[in-house]
Amino acid sequence: NVSVGFYLNGIHKPGDVMLGGLFEVHYTSIFPELTFTSEPSKLSWFRHAMTMAFAIDEINRNSNLLPNVTLGYSLYDNCATLVIGFSAALSLVSGREEQFLLLENCSGTSPVLGIVGDSFSTFSIATSDVIGLFNLPIVSYFATCSCLSDRHRFPSFFRTIPSDAFQVHAMIQILKHFGWTWAGLLISDDDYGHHAAQSFQTELVQSGGGCLAYTEILPWGENTAELWRIVQMMKKSTARVVIVFAHQITMIQLMEEVVRQNVTGLQWMASEAWTTAAVLQTPHLMPYLGGTLGIAIRRGEIPGLRDFLLRTHPDLYDNNNHGNSMVRMFWEHTFQCRFPPPPAGWVESGGAICTGEEVLESVETEFLDVSNLRPEYNIYKAVYALAYALDDMLQCTPGRGPFSGNSCTTLQTMDSSLDFPCHNIHLLIHLTPFVVESFLSLQPPRSVCSESCPPGTRMARKNGQPVCCFDCVLCSEGKFSNKPDSVECTSCPEDFASSPQRDHCVPKKIEFLSYHEPLGICLTSTSLLGTFICAVVLGIFIHHRSTPVVRANNSELSFLILMSLKLCFLCSLLFIGRPRLWTCQMRHAAFGISFVLCVSCILVKTMVVLAVFKASKPGGGASLKWFGAVQQRGTVLLLTCIQAAICVVWIVSASPLPHKNTQYHSDKIVYECVVGSTVGFAVLLGYIGLLAILSFLLAFLARNLPDNFNEAKLITFSMLIFCAVWVAFVPAYVNSPGKYADAVEVFAILASSFGLLVALFGPKCYIILLRPERNTKKAIMGRATSKS
């Protein structure tokens, strides 16, 4: 046997490939011997190690995952001590541990190809700094320090628990939700606490969600004086919310002092490290911790775990009483017995001897409680992440592998090089978010340094105090604040004065065509109704597009007219509401282009009617070549582009602008759009009028054509309505002040649009829907023959 240098508490099982595990089963070890003779921290934490053993056992029984490969494990207790955890990690990497009896061929346990652990962020940092040099993947199930997300420093570190950045963000959201702007922060004296505090303070400042009344570092070990000082400060502080990023061990020591000083009425917020700690959820501590809000790890289900735990027995893991001491110590603690040889005086004092015949199911033990698996679920996922990564590597195709030259590896070469494909784990670990839990539902307290400043005041920061501590000062004359906690008072605009309460300005009455007044509501409703009717008619025409009535009336132009009419109805909405620069610029442009598109389609349709009638006569067929589909589309596009060019020149040269008009009334401010250029507006309307008159004249000339071309009558009537509306519009618009000018223009748009819609499409819809017997080619041609 080799000489003994130090002992490591562990469980081992041989296999083709070994995985390592680092778990906290005991609180501390005794120095300098570095043994593990201490009280077990919690039986549930021994369950953490057994969960990894269960996962490996389950994988070995799965023929689809790592076939023909048996996983083994070496699981060590870190005793919540850095030097023990670090020594255990080095033993896992080197494959050597001096306490084990070597086999006959002088080969020790195989080096592991991956490690699940450690549970502490500080331990994980120290271990990863060294183990990372071997490119050995470490998958932690409980280390949440955001610093471990640094891929340059920790390229082979992974975890199945979210970074502290997530729970810091969640805590700040909770503070905002309850309006807690004044809180204290307690942290453990390690990387976990310091980095969490840094992240919390940074995000708290960025979010503007509040201030910290104090930040205190909780001491390690028995430091009663420091704990007394911290609790005294908590009692004196006005902050009622206390946020704690600390480990369960530290919280136990803190709560002992809190109970000793009888500090109640605090709202605690717990980090994931102690949220679900059963030792803190006792009736003794409820008066102090009742109502605690905590960020908890996601709970998971692991089928079959309890049955596996029930099979735990020292004989199953015995290796000459050396290699699997963790199970033996668990057994002794559970049944309060000792394996032979017992310590001196044990039997004499009435102590029992462990026989191995004890039955786990006969005792009440937290070890068998699988109803709240949180870290265990992360351990379970970590083992499977390593297993799937190994399986993926062993199934790689030569030339497409993850190693140099895109090569692959085998168990033999991998065993010696420790060159595990860490990048595979990226795709296999699924980080689930933290769920928020509460010990008890109570009325949330208020926690502010200064009460909120009401509207009409501003916050004046107290000298030497955080920004959350301030006085409320009434706004001066001519200024106001209409929100709570205003930093500054805002000057009222011209023609405004502050109210006596300084919470708003009292302006002159503002007038514009609003969506909220009856006139605006009526016009808006009418506009939307017209749009809806256009959509319905368009749907009817599309559905009956193959019928003679639709086809005989140039369906493509009809569809285009309906679309343009929808735009005409919708553009009227730009005239309603408070005028702004873009609405002022768009309202006349949208109106002009939409109507030109509609009227140009009607003009082309009229010209096509005349051309078709002329072509029906002997020798008139040549006229149709100028009115094909391409020529029709081109004509409509050309006529519309001319109007678009007019609008562009108008907007660029003298753009319409919103204007505050105080000339109409002395007690009102009228918001309106000035046209900018009267010439531009006149040219826009004149161009529409020119096309409308031209359409009217051509339709009038074609009004007596046979019935199969009688759309000219509808066009004549529609253009008559259109021209009448806009002739009446000009004097009404000129003589209407303020919002009524906009109302007149909207009315003219809606009236002319409805006139075109009803005159052009009403008779057709009547035939399509109510007189389908007339919607036939024979009926149409019959009427044409009769007319002729």
Side-chain angles (χ1 to χ4, degrees):
N1 296 346
V2 297
S3 61
V4 177
F6 58 87
Y7 294 106
L8 290 175
N9 187 16
I11 309 175
H12 306 271
K13 184 177 181 180
D16 301 328
V17 176
M18 298 295 292
L19 298 182
L22 299 174
F23 303 95
E24 178 191 350
V25 181
H26 295 80
Y27 278 147
T28 56
S29 62
I30 297 178
F31 295 90
E33 292 86 354
L34 299 180
T35 61
F36 46 81
T37 54
S38 66
E39 286 292 322
S41 56
K42 282 177 63 180
L43 292 179
S44 63
W45 290 2
F46 175 62
R47 186 175 63 223
H48 295 177
M50 295 307 296
T51 300
M52 180 171 178
F54 166 76
I56 291 178
D57 180 72
E58 187 177 66
I59 292 170
N60 287 336
R61 290 184 283 107
N62 187 349
S63 59
N64 295 321
L65 180 59
L66 292 174
N68 302 320
V69 176
T70 301
L71 291 180
Y73 52 79
S74 291
L75 313 181
Y76 287 130
D77 178 10
N78 63 21
C79 296
T81 306
L82 178 58
V83 66
I84 297 293
F86 192 71
S87 300
L90 291 179
S91 296
L92 291 173
V93 174
S94 64
R96 298 181 60 192
E97 181 184 336
E98 293 178 319
Q99 73 175 37
F100 294 123
L101 295 177
L102 299 183
L103 302 179
E104 293 181 357
N105 60 3
C106 294
S107 61
T109 55
S110 302
V112 298
L113 295 185
I115 297 176
V116 174
D118 201 312
S119 57
F120 290 92
S121 294
T122 297
F123 295 9
S124 296
I125 291 171
T127 303
S128 298
D129 276 334
V130 176
I131 305 303
L133 299 176
F134 298 93
N135 198 29
L136 184 74
I138 301 176
V139 185
S140 177
Y141 58 92
F142 212 63
T144 59
C145 180
S146 57
C147 60
L148 286 165
S149 298
D150 186 350
R151 305 309 302 164
H152 295 287
R153 181 179 175 186
F154 307 109
S156 61
F157 177 84
F158 307 90
R159 51 187 164 192
T160 54
I161 186 171
S163 159
D164 278 333
F166 293 94
Q167 68 170 329
V168 164
H169 181 73
M171 284 186 171
I172 291 178
Q173 294 304 310
I174 293 173
L175 292 177
K176 286 186 174 181
H177 176 77
F178 289 107
W180 295 329
T181 59
W182 190 234
L185 179 63
L186 304 179
I187 61 172
S188 58
D189 191 11
D190 57 7
D191 293 281
Y192 168 70
H194 290 294
H195 282 89
Q198 182 180 358
S199 299
F200 188 89
Q201 292 169 336
T202 300
E203 185 159 346
L204 187 65
V205 171
Q206 292 176 348
S207 66
C211 307
L212 291 177
Y214 55 85
T215 301
E216 290 293 335
I217 300 174
L218 298 173
W220 283 101
E222 297 293 336
N223 193 336
T224 307
E226 180 65 8
L227 288 174
W228 181 87
R229 184 193 66 80
I230 292 174
V231 175
Q232 278 290 311
M233 186 190 58
M234 293 166 57
K235 289 175 62 176
K236 297 176 181 178
S237 174
T238 57
R240 295 292 87 197
V241 175
V242 181
I243 303 163
V244 185
F245 286 91
H247 304 287
Q248 175 178 323
I249 309 169
T250 310
M251 274 305 299
I252 293 173
Q253 297 168 344
L254 173 65
M255 292 313 300
E256 289 175 353
E257 186 63 32
V258 169
V259 172
R260 189 178 297 114
Q261 298 191 33
N262 194 29
V263 181
T264 59
L266 295 179
Q267 173 64 57
W268 297 83
M269 291 183 64
S271 67
E272 94 296 340
W274 64 277
T275 294
T276 56
V279 69
L280 295 173
Q281 301 181 35
T282 61
H284 176 62
L285 292 178
M286 274 301 125
Y288 308 94
L289 289 176
T292 297
L293 292 173
I295 307 298
I297 305 170
R298 178 185 176 184
R299 184 175 65 87
E301 301 290 338
I302 306 179
L305 177 59
R306 191 175 190 278
D307 294 335
F308 180 83
L309 297 178
L310 282 170
R311 295 196 297 270
T312 302
H313 194 277
D315 292 344
L316 295 178
Y317 300 93
D318 195 12
N319 183 21
N320 294 331
N321 296 337
H322 288 278
N324 297 299
S325 54
M326 194 186 296
V327 179
R328 295 171 59 85
M329 295 189 66
F330 159 74
W331 199 264
E332 291 178 341
H333 178 79
T334 301
F335 295 104
Q336 293 300 298
C337 61
R338 291 293 183 268
F339 284 99
W346 174 260
V347 176
E348 290 77 4
S349 62
I353 300 297
C354 296
T355 64
E357 301 298 327
E358 295 83 4
V359 180
L360 269 178
E361 202 166 12
S362 64
V363 295
E364 289 188 9
T365 171
E366 189 181 356
F367 174 70
L368 297 176
D369 182 10
V370 295
S371 62
N372 193 30
L373 302 177
R374 296 180 186 274
E376 292 87 349
Y377 189 56
N378 287 347
I379 295 168
Y380 185 75
K381 292 189 296 183
V383 175
Y384 267 90
L386 289 170
Y388 275 109
L390 178 61
D391 184 69
D392 184 54
M393 183 192 68
L394 294 178
Q395 295 183 21
C396 84
T397 304
R400 301 175 64 182
F403 302 102
S404 60
N406 295 326
S407 62
C408 295
T409 187
T410 63
L411 285 178
Q412 292 72 26
T413 58
M414 177 176 58
D415 206 30
S416 59
S417 66
L418 297 178
D419 199 4
F420 198 87
C422 296
H423 65 280
N424 288 346
I425 302 180
H426 280 294
L427 306 177
L428 298 167
I429 296 180
H430 173 64
L431 294 183
T432 54
F434 293 107
V435 294
V436 176
E437 293 205 348
S438 176
F439 291 170
L440 189 64
S441 296
L442 298 175
Q443 184 67 26
R446 284 187 57 79
S447 185
V448 295
C449 181
S450 299
E451 291 297 329
S452 177
C453 287
T457 63
R458 62 177 177 85
M459 297 188 300
R461 182 176 174 181
K462 296 180 179 179
N463 292 331
Q465 297 290 326
V467 293
C468 296
C469 302
F470 47 81
D471 293 320
C472 298
V473 179
L474 185 68
C475 291
S476 58
E477 179 65 36
K479 294 187 177 183
F480 75 101
S481 65
N482 56 4
K483 295 180 181 179
D485 298 327
S486 296
V487 178
E488 294 181 351
C489 295
T490 305
S491 298
C492 291
E494 187 181 2
D495 303 326
F496 283 75
S498 57
S499 65
Q501 296 78 21
R502 307 291 196 271
D503 57 353
H504 67 284
C505 292
V506 182
K508 290 183 177 180
K509 185 178 179 180
I510 296 176
E511 184 179 87
F512 58 88
L513 186 57
S514 170
Y515 285 105
H516 305 291
E517 61 178 301
L519 180 59
I521 293 173
C522 291
L523 294 175
T524 301
S525 302
T526 305
S527 173
L528 296 177
L529 176 63
T531 305
F532 174 74
I533 294 175
C534 283
V536 172
V537 174
L538 181 61
I540 293 172
F541 268 56
I542 292 175
H543 183 70
H544 297 276
R545 62 186 178 276
S546 59
T547 60
V549 166
V550 177
R551 296 181 60 188
N553 291 309
N554 199 327
S555 58
E556 182 178 348
L557 287 178
S558 297
F559 292 152
L560 197 56
I561 292 173
L562 284 171
M563 292 300 298
S564 62
L565 284 175
K566 287 179 65 175
L567 295 177
C568 292
F569 281 115
L570 290 174
C571 76
S572 63
L573 299 177
L574 293 172
F575 292 83
I576 306 174
R578 183 167 182 164
R580 303 186 185 277
L581 177 61
W582 70 273
T583 57
C584 290
Q585 292 176 335
M586 290 297 297
R587 57 170 56 175
H588 289 112
F591 149 70
I593 294 174
S594 299
F595 269 99
V596 164
L597 177 61
C598 179
V599 176
S600 61
C601 290
I602 295 174
L603 176 61
V604 171
K605 182 184 277 284
T606 307
M607 296 170 66
V608 170
V609 169
L610 290 172
V612 170
F613 178 70
K614 185 176 181 181
S616 65
K617 295 181 178 181
S623 61
L624 276 180
K625 69 179 181 179
W626 300 106
F627 295 95
V630 175
Q631 287 81 359
Q632 295 176 33
R633 299 187 195 110
T635 303
V636 170
L637 179 62
L638 176 62
L639 295 176
T640 305
C641 287
I642 294 175
Q643 181 72 308
I646 293 173
C647 294
V648 170
V649 173
W650 177 18
I651 292 175
V652 171
S653 60
S655 173
L657 297 171
H659 175 63
K660 185 177 69 173
N661 194 323
T662 58
Q663 303 300 317
Y664 292 139
H665 307 280
S666 60
D667 60 340
K668 291 182 181 180
I669 298 177
V670 179
Y671 283 90
E672 61 184 5
C673 287
V674 293
V675 296
S677 171
T678 305
V679 175
F681 187 40
V683 172
L684 181 142
L685 291 178
Y687 184 63
I688 298 175
L690 175 64
L691 296 180
I693 292 173
L694 186 58
S695 298
F696 172 75
L697 293 176
L698 292 177
F700 182 78
L701 294 176
R703 70 188 185 284
N704 292 322
L705 295 179
D707 283 353
N708 55 336
F709 303 118
N710 67 351
E711 194 172 17
K713 294 181 179 179
L714 304 180
I715 296 175
T716 301
F717 185 61
S718 66
M719 286 295 99
L720 185 62
I721 296 175
F722 184 87
C723 293
V725 168
W726 286 102
V727 167
F729 159 76
V730 175
Y733 180 82
V734 172
N735 293 299
S736 298
K739 67 178 182 180
Y740 298 103
D742 292 334
V744 168
E745 190 164 358
V746 172
F747 179 80
I749 292 173
L750 296 178
S752 57
S753 299
F754 271 112
L756 294 175
L757 179 62
V758 173
L760 291 176
F761 297 97
K764 301 173 187 177
C765 291
Y766 171 76
I767 293 175
I768 293 172
L769 298 177
L770 302 179
R771 299 296 298 273
E773 70 277 3
R774 294 174 57 183
N775 190 9
T776 62
K777 184 176 180 180
K778 181 178 180 181
I780 294 176
M781 296 305 296
R783 292 198 307 273
T785 304
S786 175
K787 183 71 177 180
S788 298

